[in-house]
Amino acid sequence: MKTLTWIIRIVAATILFQTLFFKFTAAEESVYIFSTLGIEPYGRIGSGIAELIASILILIPRTTFLGALMGMGVIIGALLSHIFILGIEVQNDGGTLFILAVITFLCCTFLIFQNKNKISNLLKLKF
């Protein structure tokens, strides 16, 4: 089970991390997506920062739960954007971005359920 968990962590973190190049370099497709959503450039850069943090947290066993929650939040936004505004296929990508979002959603869901016992630990945090 430990190997499977690491594979799922790596898949989720890799998908989240690989989009950063496109977001932070203002790649044409990324600018198109966030312009269509009406949140260019702040939404593109902000979601990129959130994905960077989530991908790092997912890979650290102690913070996997938080990273998966954060990743799921970002990905739910992406999925809803695809379903209601962008469409499944964006600029003739064959639905690749949507499929990657679904895979990331599933990975984050698995990691959240696997680490659900850590919720009580979060509630006990003292600042």
Side-chain angles (χ1 to χ4, degrees), residues 47-84:
S47 67
I49 292 168
E51 289 173 9
L52 173 62
I53 294 167
S55 63
I56 292 168
L57 292 174
I58 285 170
L59 291 174
I60 301 169
R62 190 172 165 176
T63 60
T64 296
F65 180 76
L66 287 175
L69 275 178
M70 191 172 192
M72 181 178 272
V74 172
I75 291 302
I76 287 172
L79 289 170
L80 292 174
S81 295
H82 276 280
I83 292 167
F84 293 111

Side-chain angles (χ1 to χ4, degrees), residues 5-59:
T5 299
W6 270 106
I7 290 169
I8 290 172
R9 278 185 184 142
I10 290 168
V11 168
T14 300
I15 292 171
L16 289 168
F17 192 77
Q18 63 91 22
T19 64
L20 299 180
F21 173 79
F22 301 99
K23 288 182 177 165
F24 292 152
T25 61
E28 180 185 331
E29 186 176 59
S30 192
V31 170
Y32 169 80
I33 289 168
F34 287 93
S35 293
T36 302
L37 297 174
I39 54 174
E40 169 64 27
Y42 303 108
R44 175 176 49 84
I45 294 167
S47 67
I49 292 168
E51 289 173 9
L52 173 62
I53 294 167
S55 63
I56 292 168
L57 292 174
I58 285 170
L59 291 174

